[in-house]
Amino acid sequence: MDLCDFLEHLNCGKAVIGGSELHQFMHKVSNEAMKITAKLNACYHEPEEIRALFSELTGKQVDSSFKLFPPFYSDCGKNITVGKNVFINSGCSFQDQGGITIGDGALIGHNVVLATLNHDFLPQKRSTLHPAPIVIGENVWIGANVTIVPGVTIGNGSIIAAGAVVTKDVPENVVAGGVPAKIIKVLDMEEM
């Protein structure tokens, strides 16, 4: 098992059986992510140091326009992709095994949780994990304390109101809020 095989399995949406070789590999990757995030969160870092640590966490070089305010938490890291001019505020937790893609110009508020894994519903299979990606479009603004669950896509230009729990896809250029999140306003892009 190597990282490419692991990510390919997850990105195909295949289940991870509790106790399997893949599950054990997932724990190994999680331990590596915890080491990097502990370093990231331990003390003050200049912006270029933060970008270097985030790039190490994801295994991909982030753009020089990327900004992050620690603390930041991830239990994988290797399945996060961020575009240009992305800002992630403090206290965010990304469970990215199922894949997290963040488009150019996205703003992520304080304490946002992006969760890409579900446990199996059957009690006897509860340790089995089911991955599904989260996709955040371009120029999306996610307010503080939002939770986005596995398999959700947020359309370009949309806003997710603070405290929302997003359980379904959100189309482009709307404001969604509440628990569960619903569309509360359509943005008139011509007025903006």
Side-chain angles (χ1 to χ4, degrees), residues 31-53:
N31 286 328
E32 292 170 10
M34 286 188 284
K35 287 179 192 174
I36 297 167
T37 56
K39 203 182 312 181
L40 175 67
N41 298 331
C43 63
Y44 174 79
H45 297 283
E46 294 292 331
E48 55 275 0
E49 294 172 307
I50 290 172
R51 284 190 294 275
L53 286 165

Side-chain angles (χ1 to χ4, degrees), residues 44-63:
Y44 174 79
H45 297 283
E46 294 292 331
E48 55 275 0
E49 294 172 307
I50 290 172
R51 284 190 294 275
L53 286 165
F54 197 84
S55 295
E56 181 183 352
L57 176 68
T58 64
K60 304 172 196 95
Q61 186 66 41
V62 294
D63 190 75

